[in-house]
Amino acid sequence: MMKSLLFLVCTLAFVAVSAQKVKLIEGDLSALKGATSINTRFVYENITIGKNEEKESDYITRRRSEINAKTPGKGDSWAEDWVNDRKNRYEPRFNDVFNKESGMTVDPNAKYTILFKTMNVEPGFKSPMGFGNKDAEVSGEAWIVETADPSHVVARLSVMNAPGRMMMADFNESIRIGESYAMAARGVARFIKKA
């Protein structure tokens, strides 16, 4: 029984890693050879939500209304969390996983910076019955720039469909999305290591 469970967890982890696609759009990563540290910054402009690519501002307005209609005030809290989770959850998860997978430390004084530009977020959902679940996903671009001169772009990577799932804990939207950022970090770190 324990071996079967371990096999299932390993299989799901492999599927999660292989589901996302990281590829080089332009430039090259040779500047990062031998680097032991890198800075990270996150950009949240012009984000779309879900497969219908709803504007984020429209999505927040709609969801706030829907949640407030069920429980007054709860939608307002949800809207605050939607933005605050970026600094409180997603960025720390990205940095933590990137550190572990790349062997580099995240350091604001590093010569190069990863600008992670989120383009689309699929929040996903978890059905209490376990049927019809949808994993969270994050898509975006990772720009490698000089920290002192961010207009000097060394390379651009696309990160598509980084999945976020946590088995039993993924009823929580911010946990699912946080895991998408963790998977994005893993994909970027592994791509940089391979280059």
Side-chain angles (χ1 to χ4, degrees):
M1 176 69 171
M2 192 61 155
K3 285 183 182 178
S4 297
L5 183 59
L6 182 61
F7 175 76
L8 177 64
V9 169
C10 290
T11 301
L12 289 173
F14 173 77
V15 169
V17 170
S18 62
Q20 75 170 316
K21 293 174 181 62
V22 177
K23 67 180 184 180
L24 184 67
I25 300 171
E26 69 175 63
D28 74 68
L29 298 168
S30 60
L32 297 181
K33 287 277 189 219
T36 58
S37 65
I38 197 162
N39 184 30
T40 58
R41 282 186 34 222
F42 298 84
V43 179
Y44 305 98
E45 296 171 358
N46 304 314
I47 298 173
T48 59
I49 308 299
K51 66 179 180 180
N52 296 327
E53 299 189 356
E54 182 177 13
K55 276 179 57 178
E56 184 185 36
S57 58
D58 294 341
Y59 174 76
I60 291 171
T61 299
R62 180 175 60 78
R63 285 293 292 149
R64 177 190 288 132
S65 266
E66 290 170 355
I67 297 168
N68 276 338
K70 292 178 185 173
T71 310
K74 192 170 181 183
D76 299 327
S77 296
W78 171 87
E80 282 181 34
D81 290 343
W82 178 266
V83 174
N84 292 338
D85 282 343
R86 294 169 178 173
K87 290 272 185 231
N88 297 335
R89 288 183 184 257
Y90 310 154
E91 295 172 19
R93 279 297 286 143
F94 185 100
N95 289 339
D96 183 51
V97 171
F98 187 85
N99 279 343
K100 289 175 184 163
E101 293 289 333
S102 70
M104 289 190 240
T105 56
V106 174
D107 177 0
N109 299 312
K111 182 175 181 180
Y112 295 101
T113 295
I114 296 172
L115 287 181
F116 190 83
K117 301 184 176 206
T118 302
M119 295 164 54
N120 181 270
V121 175
E122 166 56 63
F125 57 86
K126 177 89 170 180
S127 164
M129 301 304 289
F131 300 106
N133 298 333
K134 172 73 175 128
D135 292 331
E137 289 181 349
V138 167
S139 294
E141 291 186 359
W143 292 28
I144 314 300
V145 301
E146 285 188 5
T147 303
D149 179 12
S151 67
H152 181 236
V153 179
V154 173
R156 283 175 51 216
L157 305 175
S158 74
V159 180
M160 301 304 293
N161 307 320
R165 61 177 72 97
M166 283 290 294
M167 299 298 270
M168 299 308 291
D170 60 1
F171 284 100
N172 183 304
E173 175 182 81
S174 63
I175 290 175
R176 286 192 307 269
I177 296 170
E179 285 311 298
S180 293
Y181 278 91
M183 291 303 290
R186 179 171 289 134
V188 170
R190 289 180 177 180
F191 194 89
I192 289 172
K193 276 178 84 170
K194 271 193 328 191

